[in-house]
Amino acid sequence: MSAVTVHNLVKTYASGGKRATDDVSLEVADGEFLVLVGPSGCGKTTLLRMVAGLETPDSGTVSIGGRDVTDLPARQRGLSMVFQSYAIFPHMKVRQNIGFGLMMRKVPKEEFDRRVKRAAELLQLGEFLDRYPAQLSGGQRQRVAVARAIVVDAAVLLMDEPLSNLDALLRLQFRAELKRIVSQIGTTTLYVTHDQAEAMSLGDRVAVMRDGKVAQIGAPLEVYDRPADRFVGGFLGSPPMNFLTATVRDGSLVIGDVSLPAPDLLSTWEGHEVVVGVRAENIQVSEEPAPGWVPAQVEVVEPTGAALLLTARLGEAQLKIQAPATFPAGPDQQVHLRPAPKALRFYDPSTGLALAVDQGLGGRVGRRVTP
Amino acid sequence: MPRRRARIPAAVLLIAPSLVVMTALFAWPLVVGVGQAFSGPDGPTLAYARRMLDDPYFWPAVRNTALLIVVLIPVQFAFALTMALLLRERPRFAGFHFYVWVIPLAISDLAAGLVWLSVFADRGYLNSVLDHLGVDGVAWLSYQNTATMFLAVVVAELWRSTSLVLVIVVAGLQGIPKDYDEAAAVFGATYRQRLRHVVLPQLRPSLQVALILRTILALETFAVAQALTGRSLPLLVGETYQWYNVLQNPNVATAIALVVLAVSMLAAAGYLRLLRDRTVTQ
Amino acid sequence: MSARRRWERAAIQAACVAITLFMGVPLYLIALAALSSRDSLNQFPLPLLPTDPSTETMSTFLQSTGVTGGFINSLTVGLGTVVLALLVGVPAGYAVARYAFRGKDTYQLILLLTRALPIVVLSVPLARIFLDTGLYDTTYAVMLLHTALALPTTVLITAAIFVGVSHEQEEAAMIFGASPLQAFLRVVAPQALPGIAAAAMFAFMLSWNEVLGATVLTLNQRTLPAQVLTTLADSPLAYRFAGGLALVLPALVFIAVMRRYLLNMWGTTLR
């Protein structure tokens, strides 16, 4: 059993006085891959470092496999880690780098060789074992850092933005490889990144952090599909979720000159403003007007190859719409839009929290259904 | 609430030995020194200070030291800047030139004095060359020729201590991104204009530090003059040496040392002030 | 290349050569003088080429009273200074590089200020203190003074070196089972070693070159420069030239070895 439990962790740095993590609690189940994602300064790295034992919390506890390790130094916590800068040792050959943890544990020679070799092969480093890090490319150094982390068979694997120093193409490649390796070894993994695409693609669950707190935690698609607040919707996904202000009037949602049928859950918001959230791919677009479709003005057209990303103006609001790659659109053209009714999400304009979900899925349900 | 590990102030443990050493060997001697200079067997006294001021060598030493600084420092900075700018043009054998130019960094002032003694001595190399050329030699280091004696000390010091300014300036130049200079050139600035408006302003922090360091070190000039002229060209620190080693009077020696210290501190403070003011008004 | 540009290049080359001659010729001359026989030094005009090389002048110098002892004392003091300055300075440099602690700015300011303290201000009172404690006229006394003088630079240099070894490497070592001391010894120390060696050479050179303090603090246990200085007035020119060369030679080696570090140390770290 090597679940990681973080309980009410508070950490304040001397400078600034703001809480880096503000009473954070979460649990990583045994064998689970949890990704902490958020903008820089949200406290995700601090949280990871407290789990690692590189940072001492002001209050709260960290347990690994049911054992309270809050007061243990890093080396006694039985975990391993991949660092953002890789932190491989330039004065040691790849072999010594990968085997560093084994050497510290005084593993016998034959076993050392066997395990280092296996880890090196898993990461395609077999032929580089006798080189120094300076003779390797950035991607290869990254592989050394990962090999060093998995060779020790630690109960918990921590990764701090391990892909952020790779160039875009390599990052994409290695991301998939990392996912394969981690699922092969089945270690409990806590992974920090600021890249929402990385978080979505890697995690069994993702925890979106903001200002030292966990804004939402859940399976990637669930968090993507049903953001618990406007921040999460705006942070996850590229392009971010569109937000429009609408008024509920006579059972309809009124956005500027147009109105759409309002779902039942908005009945208590009659006469009030709500924020409507909708993803770019959930808006249908057509050249021809039709009843129930809303006219909008195209401002920018960005082909991405697989699709066409339109920026359109709808009254006061600007919308991102994902159109088929073949859609014939140019700037200043009039198009007609229709959001998929089931894909609309509603947020309280004053708190930014989701109002409710129409199906009883997990995640955080809007706590306030009446204004 | 679980108990936290006691925070061991590792940093304090690590710097403590250095604090002990510095207190014992910097602060304590300073206190003792003030005591030596201003207290005699019968309590506080200005007798040593008066004796220092009445000494016929004291004021010439002050004058010579001041003159040395006033003449040496500007020449030295111009020399170092020239050297650094020459290196910046990437001449052939730049590495070799630089090596030769910085050798004096590691040469003591006593050794420098002895090196130049071989040049300026009555029967030394300079007069030998003059003789080869059919010109009469000059008694460069004779106590009657104060001017040539002073010149010899300035040349020897220029030779020895310019390398310090040079490395500071070269390091400073390396820290200036080439983009600025290139941008100025693209916009039509001449070499002189680029120097005046781009390079020198960015070099200023380096020059400031070099100026303070060199002024303080020039105040301490001593063994060069000792090796070249003996006591014929008295300098302040040389007088301390005389009073201590030859006249065996540590009290007056300390009094002179404190004068050197005071002037050093004044120089440092003055420069910092001056340069800060200029930064503010710019 | 335009004619004007070509002329400029030639002028630059010529200026470099001229400066190199100014810096280099005196070194040649002192070597020439020290490696001439006593007879040829008595000639006038002096020969400008090594027509009559001889070790007579050097060996006479080396056999003079106090010179061998001075050599040994200089070496003892220099090595002792290196050991003491590193023992005290390396931990402090590590602390400055790695920790944020209260008073750190003040500490660094004091380090810089002490570099502005004239040696002469320390030497005379220290002689008093050492007389009282029985250290006067020992190599230990000079060693302590030189340690104090070398300490601020040692701290500053080693701090710069430790900053260059990323803290994440130490953290990685600790994650993988190393204690803080093991992490330092296995990960930081090997990488910092060349820089620490440079700091050591710097301390040695400072000690080797320091004259005034060594003269004030000793009577019989003179270091080489102190010995040369105190006997200067009563010695023949040949002795002084030989002494000059003996003092200059280590400098040539030192600069040759330290070329890589010169700009970083004097140019940046220590300014």
Side-chain angles (χ1 to χ4, degrees), chain B residues 9-16 18-19, chain C residues 91-108 111 155:
Chain B
V12 175
L13 286 179
L14 292 172
I15 65 164
S18 67
L19 285 177
Chain C
Y94 184 80
V96 169
R98 283 285 190 269
Y99 296 95
F101 52 90
R102 230 186 322 152
K104 182 171 167 180
D105 289 344
T106 321
Y107 180 73
Q108 284 177 292
L111 284 183
V155 176

Side-chain angles (χ1 to χ4, degrees), chain B residues 10-15 17-19 21-22 24-30 32-34 36 79 82-83 86-87 89-93 95-112 114-119 121-125 127-129 131-132 137 155 158-160 162-164 166-168 170-172 174 205-206 209-210 213 216-217 220 222-223 226-228 237 240-241 244-245 250-251 253-254 257-258 260-261 264-265 268, chain C residues 5 9 11-13 15-17 19-24 26-27 29-30 32-33 36 41-48 87-89 91-92 94-96 99-101 107 110-111 113-122 124-131 136 144-145 147-149 151-152 155 205 208-212 215-217 222 224-226 228-230 232 237 240-241 243-244 247-248 250-256 259 262-264 266-268 270-271:
Chain B
V12 175
L13 286 179
L14 292 172
I15 65 164
S18 67
L19 285 177
V21 168
M22 288 199 287
L25 296 167
F26 286 127
W28 181 229
L30 274 183
V32 172
V34 173
Q36 273 181 311
F79 189 32
T82 310
M83 289 156 104
L86 282 173
L87 285 178
E89 296 300 317
R90 307 195 173 287
R92 233 181 286 177
F93 312 118
F96 171 74
H97 288 305
F98 183 68
Y99 170 60
V100 175
W101 298 357
V102 296
I103 286 174
L105 264 183
I107 292 181
S108 67
D109 47 354
L110 175 63
L114 294 171
V115 166
W116 283 91
L117 184 65
S118 76
V119 174
D122 283 354
R123 298 166 68 83
Y125 286 104
N127 282 343
S128 299
V129 172
D131 190 76
H132 281 298
V155 170
L158 187 68
W159 179 80
R160 183 189 71 87
T162 302
S163 49
L164 178 67
L166 176 68
V167 285
I168 293 178
V170 168
Q174 285 184 348
S206 306
V209 178
L213 269 181
I216 290 168
L217 290 172
E220 295 183 62
F222 145 69
Q226 203 74 30
L228 284 170
V237 174
T240 321
Y241 171 74
Y244 186 84
N245 261 41
N251 304 83
T254 322
L258 287 176
V260 176
L261 175 67
S264 300
M265 294 293 147
Chain C
R5 183 86 193 113
R9 294 299 303 175
I12 287 168
Q13 297 291 354
C16 287
V17 171
I19 294 172
T20 296
L21 286 177
F22 172 66
M23 303 307 284
L27 291 172
L29 292 178
I30 189 74
L32 181 64
S36 301
L41 275 180
N42 285 331
Q43 290 172 23
F44 188 84
L46 288 168
L48 294 175
L87 272 182
V88 178
Y94 184 80
V96 169
Y99 296 95
F101 52 90
Y107 180 73
I110 291 174
L111 284 183
L113 267 184
T114 49
R115 298 190 58 230
L117 270 184
I119 300 171
V120 61
V121 180
L122 303 175
V124 179
L126 269 179
R128 168 88 259 147
I129 294 171
F130 287 149
L131 269 173
Y136 185 76
L144 282 175
L145 172 67
T147 301
L149 294 176
L151 188 60
V155 176
M205 221 44 223
W208 178 268
N209 281 340
E210 201 281 323
V211 187
L212 186 67
T215 313
V216 170
L217 293 180
R222 300 282 197 212
L224 185 64
V228 172
L229 179 71
T230 47
L232 210 52
L237 272 181
R240 303 190 212 176
F241 295 158
L247 291 175
V248 162
L252 298 182
V253 179
F254 174 78
I255 295 291
R259 268 173 75 173
L262 283 181
L263 283 182
N264 275 335
W266 271 283
T268 313
L270 297 181
R271 32 164 268 203

Side-chain angles (χ1 to χ4, degrees), chain A residues 311-324:
Chain A
T311 307
R313 182 155 293 281
L314 176 69
E316 298 282 287
Q318 210 177 38
L319 288 180
K320 297 277 187 192
I321 304 139
Q322 190 178 313

